[in-house]
């Protein structure tokens, strides 16, 4: 289960350590200095039309849900969508990774298939990763699809804030994948919603203004993006990654804390600014949305590719 963690300590990179929950492949985030390059390891990728379903665990109001659903809908390009855009970011994932393997004539598409609400927290308000896997199994995951489990800001999840902000994993029995991301606004915004909140450690620069006015939800979008990129490029542990199979860095986690040109620890990089709100962003979406998306590691140049 690969993980997303926003805290950066100087030039130490983030990595993922793998352990097993039966047929599922969980990976947790640790700190590690890599000694090789991010390459393809001859395994399966997720390609074609990829359905993604959402499990809303805990209470999210309609405005919060629309931030995420609009983000997922933005993966498909529309004529009204100005650049830089979410669809442009997704096209970069396809160009740098997915198109290089097998038949690259058709662009891979993400589409939102369905949404499930579990407002009463059927498995309680303190979840283990096994509980997350159970939620996914109960939802009837689709082969080749992604189940996205999103937990509310009052739900505790094993390792959340201490080790990771989100994880992705797979069930080899069903050929499906899943992602979990938590709302960190009340638990650890300095770790999982930076740069929209001051970090717990390191340079204490003023936080940026979140583009959708929700520190927790805008932080979730950053981590969802990172996990989607990792899921499609390394769904079952044999795709694109850097380092050992047990401790891989992936498409976004190989560029921690990089959102724009000139980024360095404590500075997200040069970003665009919304003239009406002062919010920082680097991607436009549907319905006038703006988002901040992580850089993608370019395996050919060994550099971090940003939208602006």
């Amino acid at each position: 289960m690969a993980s997303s963690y926003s805290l950066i300590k100087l030039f130490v990179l983030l990595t993922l350590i793998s352990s097993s929950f039966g047929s599922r492949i969980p990976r947790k985030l640790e700190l590690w200095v890599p000694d090789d390059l991010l390459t393809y390891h001859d395994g399966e990728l997720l390609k074609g039309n990829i359905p993604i379903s959402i499990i809303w665990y805990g209470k999210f109001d309609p405005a919060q849900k629309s931030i995420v659903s609009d983000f997922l809908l933005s993966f498909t390009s529309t004529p009204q969508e100005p650049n830089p855009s979410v669809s442009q970011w997704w096209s970069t994932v396809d160009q740098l990774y997915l198109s290089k393997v097998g038949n690259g004539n058709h662009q891979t598409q993400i589409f939102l298939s369905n949404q499930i609400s579990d407002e009463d927290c059927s498995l309680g308000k303190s979840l283990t990763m096994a509980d997350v896997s159970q939620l996914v199994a109960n939802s009837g995951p689709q082969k080749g699809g992604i189940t996205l489990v999103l937990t509310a800001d009052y739900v505790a999840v094993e390792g959340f804030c201490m080790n990771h902000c989100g994880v992705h994993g797979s069930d080899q029995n069903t050929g499906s994948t899943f992602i979990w991301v938590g709302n960190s606004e009340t638990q650890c915004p300095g770790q999982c919603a930076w740069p929209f909140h001051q970090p717990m450690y390191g340079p204490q620069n003023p936080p940026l203004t979140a583009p959708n006015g929700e520190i927790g939800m805008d932080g979730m979008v950053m981590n969802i993006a990172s996990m989607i990129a990792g899921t499609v490029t390394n769904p079952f542990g044999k795709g694109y990654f850097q380092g050992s199979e047990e401790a891989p860095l992936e498409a976004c986690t190989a560029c921690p804390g990089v959102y724009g040109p000139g980024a360095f620890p404590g500075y997200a990089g040069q970003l665009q600014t919304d003239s009406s709100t002062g919010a920082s962003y680097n991607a436009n979406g549907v319905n006038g949305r703006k988002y901040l998306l992580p850089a993608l590691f370019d395996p050919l140049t060994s550099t971090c590719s940003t939208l602006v």
Side-chain angles (χ1 to χ4, degrees):
M1 192 178 296
S3 309
S4 171
Y5 196 59
S6 298
L7 178 62
I8 309 167
K9 293 185 178 179
L10 297 179
F11 294 101
V12 181
L13 294 179
L14 301 176
T15 191
L16 307 152
I17 289 183
S18 196
S19 60
S20 177
F21 289 91
S23 63
R24 302 185 186 276
I25 309 173
R27 304 175 194 130
K28 295 184 179 180
L29 198 70
E30 297 294 340
L31 296 176
W32 180 66
V33 179
D35 57 3
D36 59 1
L37 300 177
L38 194 153
T39 56
Y40 177 55
H41 294 79
D42 300 323
E44 184 178 354
L45 309 181
L46 291 189
K47 301 182 67 176
N49 292 323
I50 303 173
I52 185 166
S53 59
I54 303 175
I55 300 175
W56 299 98
Y57 193 84
K59 292 184 179 180
F60 292 85
D61 63 39
Q64 290 176 318
K65 289 183 177 181
S66 67
I67 292 172
V68 174
S69 60
D70 281 351
F71 170 61
L72 297 175
L73 293 172
S74 299
F75 276 57
T76 302
S77 178
T78 62
Q80 298 79 20
E81 189 177 83
N83 285 328
S85 66
V86 174
S87 61
Q88 183 182 357
W89 180 87
W90 176 243
S91 293
T92 304
V93 175
D94 190 77
Q95 292 165 9
L96 295 180
Y97 293 93
L98 306 181
S99 65
K100 307 298 183 184
V101 177
N103 184 352
N105 295 330
H106 302 286
Q107 183 176 359
T108 295
Q109 299 287 349
I110 293 275
F111 66 93
L112 182 58
S113 60
N114 68 301
Q115 303 183 53
I116 300 170
S117 292
D118 189 346
E119 288 193 357
D120 295 330
C121 298
S122 60
L123 298 183
K125 297 178 183 178
S126 181
L127 303 179
T128 65
M129 290 313 303
D131 292 329
V132 172
S133 297
Q134 188 61 53
L135 287 170
V136 174
N138 292 346
S139 72
Q142 301 180 58
K143 183 177 181 179
I146 302 172
T147 302
L148 178 59
V149 180
L150 303 178
T151 50
D153 58 2
Y154 56 85
V155 176
V157 179
E158 178 185 358
F160 187 31
C161 298
M162 294 181 291
N163 297 327
H164 47 249
C165 305
V167 299
H168 79 80
S170 62
D171 185 339
Q172 293 181 334
N173 289 334
T174 62
S176 62
T177 63
F178 63 92
I179 294 169
W180 161 77
V181 172
N183 185 338
S184 67
E185 185 163 7
T186 61
Q187 299 184 51
C188 56
Q191 292 165 286
C192 296
W194 181 87
F196 302 130
H197 190 281
Q198 284 188 304
M200 289 185 64
Y201 309 100
Q204 296 297 303
N205 295 323
L208 304 179
T209 300
N212 296 288
E214 285 261 0
I215 292 174
M217 297 307 297
D218 279 299
M220 290 184 84
V221 168
M222 294 187 299
N223 292 313
I224 291 168
S226 176
M227 291 294 95
I228 288 178
T231 298
V232 299
T233 59
N234 190 31
F236 304 109
K238 294 287 187 179
Y240 281 95
F241 62 88
Q242 179 175 339
S244 69
E245 184 179 342
E246 293 74 26
L249 286 171
E250 297 172 331
C252 288
T253 55
C255 295
V258 179
Y259 297 94
F264 55 82
Y267 175 60
Q270 300 172 26
L271 304 172
Q272 296 199 351
T273 303
D274 188 315
S275 59
S276 61
T277 65
S280 297
Y281 69 100
N282 61 6
N284 293 283
V286 300
N287 298 322
R289 292 286 189 187
K290 293 176 173 59
Y291 298 101
L292 185 62
L293 304 183
L296 292 159
F297 187 83
D298 186 338
L300 293 180
T301 63
S302 295
T303 60
C304 294
S305 175
T306 60
L307 278 172
V308 295

